Structure formats: C-alpha cells, structure tokens
Amino acid sequence: MTAIESRGVTKEFGADDVVRGADLAVEEGEALLLMGPNGVGKTVLLSCLAGSREPTEGAVEVFGRPVGEDGGDSLTFLLQDSMAVETLTGRENVDFYSRLHHRFTDRWREYVDRLGLAEDLDKRVGNYSEGMKRKLELALTMSVDVPVYLLDEPTAGVDLTNIQRFHDIILEARDAGKTVLVSSHRPIDANIADRVAFMPDGTVSTVSEPDGLMEQVPPVVRVTGSEAMRTAEEYVDGQLFPVGGEARGFLAEDVAFEELAGAVEGESLERIDPTYTDLFNYYVHVQS
C-alpha cells in the first residue's frame, strides 16, 4: 500500500516556484531517501507532504486520504533546525513535546541514552552543538508512535561516529513496519535506503533501488594532477568532480577507457568502482 503520495505538487513563493510538479510515492514499510543539493526544494516538498504547507498546485495523500484529515495520527515531521526550543533545556523540550502530541511515548529515554545525550538533558539547548540538537530532535521525533516519519536532513551537522547510530534508529523503525522518508544531501545516507529518489532542481526525477541505480552509472575514473585533469575533461560525461588533489568523473558514452588512458600518461588515471558519492553526482549534476 502507498503510505504517502504527492501528485503534481507545486509550491510557489511570489513569482518563484520552489517545487515544480513533484510526483513521489512512498510505499508502506519502506525507507525512501530523497537526495539533492541544498536549496532545491526538498524541505518545502516535505512540508507539503506533512501538511504544514499548502501546495500551490497538486495533491498529497496519506494512506489514500488527503493529508491532515486524520488529525495528525498518521505522521510526524522533523523539520531541520526548527524543532528544539533553544531557551529550554533538553528535558524541558521533552516535556513540551510529550504534551504536544498525544502519541508521544517514553522511547525518548532509550534514544537519548543511545545517542549519548542523557547527561546533557539539563543543559539549555541554546548551548548545544548542532550535532547535539539533531540528536535531541531525532529522539523527540522517533518517540512519537505513528506509521509515517518524515525526516528533513536528520544527519546534518552529525559527525561520522554518530551517523551510524542515527541510521540504526531509522532502520529499526523501518523493520518494525514504519514508513520513513528521509531528505538528505549526504551520500552516506543512501546506506539506509530501500529506494532513492533524486531531486536535482525543484522536482523529483529518478526513483529506484540503490543497486539498480548504481548499475546505470557510467564507468567512473579517478584522475590526479592538474594537467591530467584538464585533459580528462574532454573525455567525461558532464564534468569532473574535484576532491582534494584528485578528481572523479564519468566516461562519456562514446569514449573507451583505453582512449582516455592514451591521452593521460603515467599513473594519474584509474578506473574505480562507483560509490554513493558518485551516485549522487551522476543523478544530481550530470543526469539533471
């Protein structure tokens, strides 16, 4: 069954359309990752899906009914950087949200302990780091017992050590039959996805399982050295993506690796297996 669906959702602010004709269906019991760079409308689309913003055009349904008809019993929404009240302590935030949503549970105790936040609950949230705020917000959101969770950039500002803890909590909810829609610009979050949807610029483009998407990525090459990079730019699809002293790119369809290797001398060129970062770059920056 489809848990949550947008059909032709457009959201305009004045003369600008931030979301344009977005179609997205999230199936019951899956974890779907909505990927795209910052500023392309992911947060606005999630706000429309949650019912906190009214689309300019299009419709949103939750379990076949217009969003909001059930009085909030079907979903909860973690909106980036706007949930934790900074003038309150962590514990006071818990008390506030426990009274705000009638489906709030005591699971927050387990989550703050697992996330290493238990000893900081009596500190004012305004003194928290960004990562600590995200821990509190995730604990509060996932403590609400509903079928659908919409999580806007949950791992933003979270260090690599804690990302796995976030992923574990999200996957446990999925394994318990919950539906989870996560927006992110961090390729590492693809590790939790049953399916990935790409939002390169205002609308949803490709949607599929990670393995299937990875199979469609052209051969990936890694190039080192400024001269080799300049030469390789003529042989790749789209652009090269620099990281430190090297760059990665996708071989153009009509270019064989041997042809590029002949143009780039020495050990400055290597064909490599694609990563989730390559997946992101291809579907967001090349295919778009």
Side-chain angles (χ1 to χ4, degrees):
M1 182 177 182
T2 300
I4 187 165
E5 181 177 11
S6 68
R7 295 193 300 274
V9 166
T10 293
K11 182 60 180 178
E12 298 174 351
F13 295 92
D16 298 324
D17 52 351
V18 178
V19 178
R20 302 189 307 274
D23 296 322
L24 182 65
V26 187
E27 302 305 319
E28 185 176 11
E30 79 167 336
L32 188 145
L33 181 66
L34 179 65
M35 293 196 77
N38 289 325
V40 297
K42 300 190 304 297
T43 296
V44 175
L45 177 58
L46 260 67
S47 297
C48 292
L49 294 174
S52 57
R53 290 186 188 271
E54 184 76 20
T56 308
E57 297 178 9
V60 176
E61 291 186 349
V62 181
F63 295 109
R65 300 168 59 189
V67 62
E69 272 198 356
D70 64 353
D73 282 350
S74 292
L75 62 82
T76 188
F77 180 28
L78 188 163
L79 180 60
Q80 184 181 8
D81 297 330
S82 67
M83 188 171 178
V85 182
E86 294 197 350
T87 56
L88 302 179
T89 67
R91 196 177 304 279
E92 289 169 340
N93 269 273
V94 172
D95 182 61
F96 173 71
Y97 279 100
S98 69
R99 290 181 282 113
L100 191 65
H101 202 299
H102 68 282
R103 289 186 174 271
F104 194 86
T105 72
D106 279 341
R107 287 202 301 257
W108 67 270
R109 299 180 185 277
E110 173 195 348
Y111 294 146
V112 298
D113 185 59
R114 290 171 60 180
L115 294 170
L117 198 62
E119 295 183 0
D120 299 300
L121 286 177
D122 294 317
K123 297 179 181 178
R124 193 168 65 87
V125 171
N127 295 324
Y128 280 14
S129 67
E130 289 305 308
M132 291 168 67
K133 291 176 186 176
R134 300 309 283 167
K135 290 177 182 180
L136 178 62
E137 291 172 344
L138 184 72
L140 293 171
T141 303
M142 302 306 291
S143 294
V144 180
D145 187 17
V146 288
V148 180
Y149 298 88
L150 306 181
L151 309 179
D152 182 32
E153 299 277 0
T155 63
V158 178
D159 61 62
L160 293 175
T161 301
N162 283 294
I163 284 178
Q164 186 57 57
R165 295 173 182 169
F166 276 54
H167 286 179
D168 289 343
I169 290 172
I170 293 169
L171 289 174
E172 286 167 9
R174 190 278 314 271
D175 292 344
K178 308 294 187 179
T179 302
V180 189
L181 172 59
V182 178
S183 73
S184 179
H185 67 278
R186 304 185 72 173
I188 192 173
D189 287 329
N191 285 317
I192 66 171
D194 296 307
R195 290 191 300 151
V196 180
F198 289 95
M199 193 171 184
D201 187 15
T203 193
V204 178
S205 56
T206 308
V207 185
S208 190
E209 297 177 357
D211 287 348
L213 291 168
M214 199 72 81
E215 290 175 0
Q216 300 302 314
V217 173
V220 180
V221 293
R222 178 167 57 202
V223 188
T224 56
S226 58
E227 184 64 34
M229 291 180 194
R230 283 193 291 269
T231 301
E233 286 179 344
E234 302 176 11
Y235 295 83
V236 298
D237 186 1
Q239 65 187 87
L240 283 175
F241 299 91
V243 181
E246 63 180 42
R248 303 162 75 98
F250 309 97
L251 275 180
E253 185 176 356
D254 58 349
V255 174
F257 177 77
E258 291 74 19
E259 181 181 353
L260 175 56
V264 178
E265 299 179 356
E267 299 178 354
S268 53
L269 177 70
E270 181 184 7
R271 180 169 176 170
I272 58 176
D273 292 331
T275 66
Y276 283 136
T277 298
D278 298 314
L279 193 75
F280 180 91
N281 287 334
Y282 181 68
Y283 286 101
V284 169
H285 297 297
V286 177
Q287 282 289 289
S288 63

